[in-house]
Amino acid sequence: MHALGDFSLTVVNGGNFRLDGGAMHGVVPKTLWSKLVSCDDQNRCEYATNCLYVEGRGVRMLIETGNGDKLSPRQKEVFGIDHDRAVAGALTEAGIDPASIDLVVLSHLHFDHVGGATVRKGNAIVPVFPRARHVVQKREWQAAMAPHERNRASYLQENLGPLREAGLLDLVDGEAELAPGVRVLPTPGHTPGHQSVLIDGGGQRALFCGDVAPTSVHVRLPYIMAYDLDVEATLESKRGLWQRAIAEDWLCVFGHDCACHAARLGLDASGQPAVTATENL
Ligand SMILES: [Zn+2]
């Protein structure tokens, strides 16, 4: 737990999974990334689904919901998921009742971010956070509803329809204030409608990066995932965020880093953005 002015921030892990190390590091060759991250015999690196619980100023908010537990045995095998853990259980373990959450923010709608927002109940799929409005960029919703060959495997329709049918979707268009001190910032690149979340607790600020920078390794500007649809847009999103993060000493929270929940940034000897201090929340 981290106190950020009027807010408390807690990371709850919705469960680990594994992704191809080459895809995760884009054009960076394995000879370089393998010095920073280890991988298994199938070249997969292990990642967390760090969801951020934020409480304060009368709001109980969850940023991201992880993979959930609706994936098929085949999908679980491909993504190296050997557990039934989901974010609802992780919240309960931390003493937080999922039914009490009133705001869910999704950086984008890939399954590893939205999967934990719904659960199977008999033959139906129902929301896990029945009181919460679920905030996503309108542009992201439109992309997820009309997936193409390059992103279809990431936008699982079973994660999306049940939220809309329950009337829980809140589509925003561009930068928006969701609650006093909580703003979403469009940070396109990974997907066109990707957003990050800036929390201002009164003098102290934290940023939930989302997949602009899934881990602390990705703070380096050239480290951009091959999954990203528009890598130059990611580069500019990241450059813009880091300028502000360094100038205003933001605590940057990473959604997929197993070892490092959050970091403060500065410039290294060659003038490039780099991690200067880390913190677990
Ligand atoms: Zn992701």
Side-chain angles (χ1 to χ4, degrees):
M1 206 273 280
H2 176 95
L4 186 89
D6 298 339
F7 293 106
S8 67
L9 312 182
T10 307
V11 164
V12 287
N13 183 6
N16 287 7
F17 66 135
R18 287 179 229 165
L19 293 168
D20 183 82
M24 283 301 288
H25 299 99
V27 295
V28 178
K30 189 174 181 182
T31 47
L32 294 181
W33 65 252
S34 63
K35 294 189 177 124
L36 306 169
V37 195
S38 59
C39 62
D40 67 13
D41 57 5
Q42 295 178 64
N43 208 46
R44 297 177 304 181
C45 305
E46 183 158 12
Y47 295 101
T49 54
N50 294 324
C51 309
L52 188 65
Y53 174 70
V54 182
E55 187 177 333
R57 298 186 186 171
V59 177
R60 294 164 79 89
M61 171 172 74
L62 183 67
I63 306 173
E64 313 285 45
T65 66
N67 288 308
D69 54 8
K70 303 191 303 305
L71 294 171
S72 68
R74 171 73 185 138
Q75 287 166 321
K76 289 174 83 166
E77 187 190 324
V78 169
F79 295 111
I81 300 173
D82 51 13
H83 57 75
D84 291 320
R85 188 179 177 80
V87 72
L91 283 167
T92 305
E93 275 172 27
I96 302 153
D97 178 5
S100 73
I101 303 282
D102 37 36
L103 181 59
V104 171
V105 187
L106 302 163
S107 66
H108 62 298
L109 294 170
H110 287 172
F111 67 83
D112 55 315
H113 298 259
V114 69
T118 48
V119 66
R120 277 187 214 287
K121 198 172 180 185
N123 289 329
I125 294 177
V126 298
V128 170
F129 309 104
R131 296 184 50 230
R133 60 187 177 116
H134 293 57
V135 176
V136 66
Q137 288 286 323
K138 184 176 162 192
R139 197 167 175 191
E140 179 67 17
W141 179 263
Q142 288 167 343
M145 286 294 106
H148 49 62
E149 291 78 359
R150 179 92 193 298
N151 59 19
R152 191 164 289 143
S154 299
Y155 286 132
L156 304 183
Q157 298 301 308
E158 66 190 27
N159 290 327
L160 306 174
L163 292 178
R164 176 175 54 191
E165 284 146 27
L168 297 179
L169 271 184
D170 182 357
L171 302 183
V172 295
D173 195 1
E175 185 168 338
E177 184 169 45
L178 307 184
V182 179
R183 301 185 80 80
V184 288
L185 311 175
T187 45
H190 183 64
T191 66
H194 186 278
Q195 61 185 359
S196 303
V197 188
L198 183 62
I199 302 147
D200 188 337
Q204 299 176 55
R205 290 179 165 184
L207 175 78
F208 188 92
C209 301
D211 276 349
V212 174
T215 75
S216 56
V217 164
H218 295 82
V219 165
R220 297 161 179 82
L221 291 175
Y223 279 64
I224 295 174
M225 294 185 282
Y227 298 111
D228 290 19
L229 290 180
D230 184 341
V231 289
E232 288 179 312
T234 301
L235 178 62
E236 294 316 315
S237 289
K238 194 154 67 161
R239 196 196 306 279
L241 286 178
W242 291 175
Q243 277 170 357
R244 296 180 65 190
I246 292 168
E248 298 177 16
D249 196 30
W250 294 355
L251 183 68
C252 297
V253 183
F254 306 109
H256 289 309
D257 201 315
C258 289
C260 168
H261 290 162
R264 294 186 195 275
L265 311 185
L267 297 177
D268 66 13
S270 55
Q272 291 299 304
V275 168
T276 54
T278 64
E279 199 171 321
N280 279 347
L281 312 181

